[in-house]
Each structure stands twice: as structure tokens, then as C-alpha cells.
């Protein structure tokens, strides 16, 4: 089990961590298996989305802000209930398959750490599970 | 594979099941592995979120109700289409890692069974998968 | 690892793939284990929901369209930012348990491939992981 540190720089931010996960996979020597990514926070998440046009990230964050604004009659005194909601909507874990020593991702897919209440220093837990040969 | 019974008391409710999952893990003797939680319903879900201030739960449920109201021009005659949508948004499964016989959760994280069309008697399927030693 | 082809016929569509997954499970001979479904796209997803009344599918897609309309001041030039958002909200993977050679699903549950930017020819990656006997 590996814990990655992720530094975020804005309140809302999608950070491409595909390269880091690829590096950890390469170091592990895992040939066939699965990787579990887990976010041990309550106002951050992990997702997959497009790796090409940065406007996709911008549109996702902007629409989330408009649908789930930071101020919206909330009771939680920390002022980040919107971030708690976005985190549960996007989810705290992602499972990625490993085949022939490579992440199984589509051509346009990147893995994103989702910050919804930054900037902060965050953690991402990475577990690489080799599959037994059948 | 274990099936937990979860009794819910309101139409919308987040029920902290971390203690139950910890108990099952302890009984299993699993040292390293993963736990898969699966909700076998279509108007309930499972998520992770803050374990401290109960206002976070209240804000999450209230905002979901406002964004996805129970009456909203739906065709499904049972009157719970909002619950079906919320369930798909929060998701039916959660994967939690086990390390040194403990759930791998962040300091502020609890596991919540999400009721969106209660009160009902619900089930949660729990599968503890020990990892082979490398 | 198996790659299924999924042909979609509308911009937004929920396609019941439970029968296909059951067929693959049956062919695999897996008795106890888990199945990981993974969508290698960025404008499609996978979810679980009701298998009985088709109005549930209709209500889910209609409400998503109203909450996340196709035109909404987006910058991404392809005009499908709404589909990217819906895909991250519903999620790109699903884990289903296998017990006594059967998918562990609730009575009313079906597995749906979610098209949010069709019609297209899509792929779904299916990995059946048998569990070691304890």
C-alpha cells in the first residue's frame, strides 16, 4: 500500500495523476491485476475523464460550482458542505485494471484527483493487487 | 459473503455503518485485503463522508432533495424516481482496503448506508477478500 | 479480460447489459469471485438501476438532461461537456460479486451501460476475478 502526496493549489481543481500511477505500476512489476485508488478525505474525490482539451476540466468544475454553490443555506459551520456533496457524487475510490503491465485506460482517459476544498496537501492511497495466474 | 440488515427510519437518511463493518472485519481475522460493500437495491446507495458534525449529513440530504425533488414531472408511477437517480449518483458499491487488520479510512471518514426511499428494511452485502501474501 | 462491443442508438441511452454479463460469467466457469466492469470512454458510464418499469430509465435520463443541459455556457468545442460531467457522476466502473456461479444482484437490479453522447459504437471491459478458496 502506497500513500501519494498530492498538493492542490485552488479551491476546485482536477489534477491529472495518470503519470504517477503509471510510475508506481512500473515500479511494482505487476503484470496482470488491478489497482485500487482511495481518497482518505471527505472533500476530495477521484475520477476519470478526458486527457486532451483542458476546457473539459474547466467545464466540469464550473458546472459543479453552479449546480452546487458554496453558499446555499447550509448548516455545517465550516462552509464547505458543497465540497462534501461533490466528493460523494464523484466518489472516493476508483478501480483500474492492469493488463500486460499497463493500465487499462481508454485513449482519451486520464485519472484525476479531484480537489473540492483546497488548496491543501492531500493523500491518495494506491494498492496494486496482482492477480493469481489461472 | 455476509448480508447485513439495515433498518431505516426516514425517507432520506445517511446511516453510519462503520462500526458494523469494523466488527465484521474483526471477526473475519483478515489482516491484509479489501472489503467490497454492495447495496442490492435501486433506491439506496453507499458512500463515505464526514463522521464528526451531523450537519454535514443534514446538508447533503437537504441539497439532494432540492436538486432532485420527489415531484419533478416523472413518469414512473411509484413516485420515487428521484430516489433511483440519487442512488445511481452516489453508487451501489464501495471498496475499502484492509491494512494490518484495520479499515483504511481517513481520520474524518465514516461509511454511510444511504436511504433515499425509506423507511424500509434494507440489506447490505459485505465481502471481505484477503490478499495473498506476495 | 474481455472487451464487449455496445452499439448505442440515441444521444442518451441506458442499455441493459445484465444478460451479456451473465453469459460471460457462465462461460467463465467462475464459482466465487468478483466482476469488474470498466468503461474506457469519457462520455459514457456504467450503473445499476431498476430492471422492471422502463419509465425509470426515461425519468433518469430526462432529469439528467434538465439538470445538466447540453448547452450551458461551456467552453469545450465539441459540445458534449454535459456528457463528460454525467459520466463522472455515474462513474466508469462497477464491481459485482459472484456467489455460487451467479451475479450477486438484488431482485430489481439490472446493470446498465450509460450512453451520454451517442449514437456510437462503444466498448465495455469485463474482468472476472475468481477468489481463492479460504
Amino acid at each position: 500500500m502506497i500513500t501519494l502526496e498530492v498538493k492542490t493549489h485552488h479551491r476546485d481543481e482536477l489534477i491529472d495523476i495518470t503519470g504517477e500511477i503509471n510510475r508506481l505500476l512500473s515500479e511494482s512489476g505487476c503484470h496482470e491485476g488491478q489497482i485500487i485508488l482511495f481518497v482518505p478525505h471527505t472533500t476530495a474525490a477521484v475520477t476519470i475523464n478526458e486527457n486532451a482539451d483542458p476546457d473539459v476540466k474547466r467545464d466540469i468544475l464550473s458546472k459543479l460550482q453552479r449546480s452546487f454553490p458554496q453558499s446555499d443555506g447550509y448548516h455545517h459551520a465550516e462552509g464547505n458542505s458543497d465540497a462534501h456533496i461533490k466528493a460523494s457524487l464523484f466518489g472516493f475510490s476508483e478501480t483500474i485494471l492492469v493488463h500486460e503491465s499497463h493500465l487499462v485506460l481508454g485513449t482519451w482517459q486520464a485519472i484525476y484527483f479531484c480537489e473540492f476544498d483546497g488548496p491543501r496537501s492531500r493523500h491518495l492511497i494506491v494498492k496494486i493487487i496482482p492477480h493469481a495466474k489461472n
Side-chain angles (χ1 to χ4, degrees), chain A:
Chain A
M1 209 175 75
I2 302 148
T3 302
L4 280 183
E5 196 175 344
V6 182
K7 285 189 190 298
T8 65
H9 299 88
H10 304 282
R11 181 158 201 273
D12 292 309
E13 193 175 355
L14 297 181
I15 297 167
D16 187 341
I17 55 171
T18 318
E20 278 290 280
I21 306 304
N22 262 318
R23 183 180 61 77
L24 293 175
L25 173 59
S26 174
E27 289 172 9
S28 77
C30 175
H31 192 64
E32 300 287 327
Q34 71 191 97
I35 298 185
I36 296 173
L37 306 178
F38 185 81
V39 173
H41 305 285
T42 58
T43 55
V46 60
T47 195
I48 287 169
N49 223 295
E50 175 169 324
N51 57 16
D53 179 4
D55 275 342
V56 172
K57 291 199 294 182
R58 181 182 173 190
D59 286 346
I60 290 172
L61 293 177
S62 155
K63 178 60 181 172
L64 284 179
Q65 283 163 9
R66 284 178 285 142
S67 295
F68 306 94
Q70 188 172 0
S71 292
D72 201 5
Y74 294 123
H75 291 85
H76 180 48
E78 289 183 33
N80 60 358
S81 283
D82 63 313
H84 287 285
I85 294 165
K86 292 176 196 171
S88 274
L89 288 171
F90 270 38
F92 299 91
S93 65
E94 199 68 66
T95 297
I96 319 261
L97 292 166
V98 175
H99 183 55
E100 295 180 350
S101 304
H102 290 282
L103 295 175
V104 177
L105 288 174
T107 311
W108 304 104
Q109 285 186 324
I111 308 165
Y112 287 102
F113 184 91
C114 312
E115 173 64 85
F116 295 126
D117 192 35
R120 300 204 202 191
S121 180
R122 299 288 203 172
H123 293 108
L124 177 77
I125 292 165
V126 181
K127 177 73 181 181
I128 301 175
I129 304 167
H131 290 160
K133 282 168 190 162
N134 295 327

